[in-house]
Amino acid sequence: MQPETNSVPAVETADLKRIYKVGSMEVAALRGIDLCIPAGGFVALKGRSGSGKTTLLNCVGGLDRPTSGTVRIFGEEIARMSDRQRTRWRSRHIGFIFQSFGLLPTLSAYENVELMLRISGARIRERKERAVYCLNLVGLTKWMHHRPYELSGGQQQRVAIARALANKPRLMLADEPTGELDSTTAREVLTLFRHVIEHEHVTILMSSHDQLVDEYVDRVVSLRDGQVIS
Ligand code: ADP
Ligand code: MG
């Protein structure tokens, strides 16, 4: 890892607020979040449904715009970017993982991963090498040419993790990645996240409402009604 990567936090938010306008009503999803996550960390956002986990992940990843406050990712303030810059920055530096995997059903595991590299403009040889490498890292070498419906939920989430890693992101954001998995499979995925942090030097910020994750992460940040309570 680069020395400067170590000193700059992966994620830093200051007084982050997100207020949704629904008709004449205002819903304060985030009410001033101050968060600092060091590079290489594995952090869980916990809280009940509606506490603001998804909104926070989306603001951190540049999928949603905060109403006020700042988000810095490795020292860069993402609100300062234009939409186009932000989209490019996101595909280069952030890997997203979702609860329901979000794989393209007609493509094989390999093709799902390779597509990300195609979109980012990698050359054919690099695409092939990186896709094979990522699928191997998540333990799916043997299943590489299978389609999502031929894979278990845990295997599908592994494909999604390989896909999120394809472009060598520095930060992975995972929204309830174990939400649809049984506890044994959830443990396997959490162990895999640790493995990925070691081998790919990423930082992982994950949301969950599962007690199980506490054993695996470096830190738990608890949210209630859009505020950090721990
Ligand atoms: P969590 O992921 O912890 O379940 P969310 O971030 O999805 O929480 O939601 C936080 C709050 O913001 C909830 O009260 C939710 O109803 C509200 N909310 C989320 N997204 C929207 C939206 N697009 N429009 C209006 N309200 C929203
Ligand atoms: Mg959510």
Coordinates of all heavy atoms in Angstrom, one line a residue, residues 53-54 175-176 207, ligand 2:
K53 N -29.2 3.7 6.7 CA -28.0 3.0 6.3 C -27.8 3.1 4.7 O -26.7 3.4 4.3 CB -28.0 1.5 6.6 CG -28.2 1.2 8.1 CD -28.2 -0.3 8.5 CE -29.4 -1.0 7.9 NZ -30.8 -0.6 8.4
T54 N -28.9 2.8 4.0 CA -28.8 2.9 2.5 C -28.5 4.3 2.1 O -27.6 4.5 1.2 CB -30.1 2.3 1.9 OG1 -30.2 0.9 2.3 CG2 -30.0 2.4 0.4
D175 N -24.4 -3.0 0.6 CA -25.7 -2.7 1.3 C -26.4 -4.0 1.6 O -26.9 -4.7 0.8 CB -26.6 -1.8 0.4 CG -27.7 -1.2 1.2 OD1 -27.8 -1.4 2.4 OD2 -28.5 -0.4 0.6
E176 N -26.4 -4.4 2.9 CA -27.0 -5.7 3.4 C -26.5 -6.9 2.5 O -27.4 -7.6 2.1 CB -28.5 -5.6 3.4 CG -29.0 -4.3 4.0 CD -29.7 -4.5 5.4 OE1 -29.7 -5.6 5.9 OE2 -30.1 -3.5 6.0
S207 N -23.5 -2.3 5.3 CA -24.6 -2.2 6.2 C -25.2 -3.5 6.5 O -25.0 -4.5 5.7 CB -25.7 -1.3 5.5 OG -26.4 -2.1 4.5
Ligands
MG2 MG -31.4 -0.1 3.5

